[in-house]
Amino acid sequence: MNAPETARRLPAPDRVRDLSRRIALLEFLIAPDGPYRKHAFRTGRRPGWDLATMANGGGDDYAIAFSDTAAVIRCFDHESPMSPYANDGEHRPGTVDALPAEFADVLADPGFNGGDPLSVSALIWWRDGSDRWGTGVPGDMEDGSGWLLEGLFHPDPEMHYRDHFQVYYGRPLDEFAVVDAVLGEPTEETAALLNPDAADPADLLRRALESVGRAG
């Protein structure tokens, strides 16, 4: 899948932001002290901007920056033909050069670009006043945006991430607890079900909520 196809499938930024926060919360509840957590959500990473990130540890990642009225997504699939590393260190036409100027400072932020300005295989954005996601590429090459962002446009994100985290962490996850975390309001019981080894589920829930910028 390529950026134009992914852009057509993504929901509006408010939904993407909420789901990104909830996925980071879910993973924190599953593995609060795990060094290999993939997802994070930081409120106020830049003034007026929140930041959602995912890194799979294998060289692929994404970052999504949200303001109150706009958003920009950076995807990096290191094996994609859209990677600059497959193009003599140059961004493919329509990626970085087509990015609206108001997002330039965000793209230059090491927290957004992962400390490597070349780590871009796709950029997708939602401008202030827009009603859809945009991108600058013709969509003639696979760029990794589809599989990287699949959970954010999946019809059942709670089941998508339950399946994913069950494989990643190698243990079953309670279906109803996952639903509470992704679609509802997680409770101490949710925390205990997702992390049976937690000595204090109430403290785990508090820490998880604080990690994504919500009051515990």
Side-chain angles (χ1 to χ4, degrees):
M1 190 178 294
N2 54 56
E5 293 172 324
T6 302
R8 288 193 290 270
R9 288 167 170 77
L10 284 169
D14 284 351
R15 171 60 176 159
V16 175
R17 187 204 307 250
D18 182 61
L19 186 54
S20 297
R21 179 185 281 118
R22 288 173 175 273
I23 297 312
L25 172 68
L26 170 64
E27 190 173 14
F28 191 100
L29 290 171
I30 295 168
D33 301 309
Y36 303 113
R37 283 205 318 271
K38 295 182 175 184
H39 298 79
F41 189 94
R42 287 172 281 175
T43 301
R45 171 60 182 77
R46 290 170 55 86
W49 290 83
D50 297 339
L51 181 68
T53 58
M54 189 289 296
N56 68 5
D60 310 300
D61 61 272
Y62 71 70
I64 312 174
F66 305 91
S67 73
D68 288 340
T69 58
V72 58
I73 303 172
R74 176 192 62 83
C75 295
F76 184 59
D77 175 350
H78 76 285
E79 295 185 344
S80 165
M82 287 293 288
S83 166
Y85 292 102
N87 189 42
D88 297 323
E90 298 290 335
H91 296 289
R92 296 283 184 180
T95 52
V96 171
D97 60 317
L99 184 70
E102 61 262 35
F103 299 121
D105 287 347
V106 176
L107 182 60
D109 186 333
F112 183 78
N113 66 32
D116 179 6
L118 291 180
S119 62
V120 179
S121 60
L123 288 173
I124 302 171
W125 53 81
W126 185 292
R127 304 182 74 172
D128 184 10
S130 180
D131 62 356
R132 68 193 67 190
W133 294 96
T135 188
V137 296
D140 55 345
M141 289 186 186
E142 166 66 41
D143 55 35
S145 61
W147 71 266
L148 283 166
L149 302 174
E150 179 183 6
L152 299 176
F153 59 79
H154 195 280
D156 297 300
E158 68 284 4
M159 293 300 99
H160 172 88
Y161 285 105
R162 177 178 180 244
D163 292 346
H164 175 74
F165 288 139
Q166 284 187 142
V167 172
Y168 187 64
Y169 288 104
R171 61 182 176 86
L173 297 173
D174 184 89
E175 176 180 343
F176 296 104
V178 172
V179 170
D180 281 345
V182 178
L183 300 180
E185 291 299 329
T187 63
E188 293 179 26
E189 182 181 6
T190 306
L193 288 169
L194 290 173
N195 194 328
D197 295 331
D200 186 346
D203 183 63
L204 171 58
L205 178 61
R206 178 190 59 78
R207 289 170 58 205
L209 291 169
E210 289 179 351
S211 75
V212 296
R214 294 173 60 184

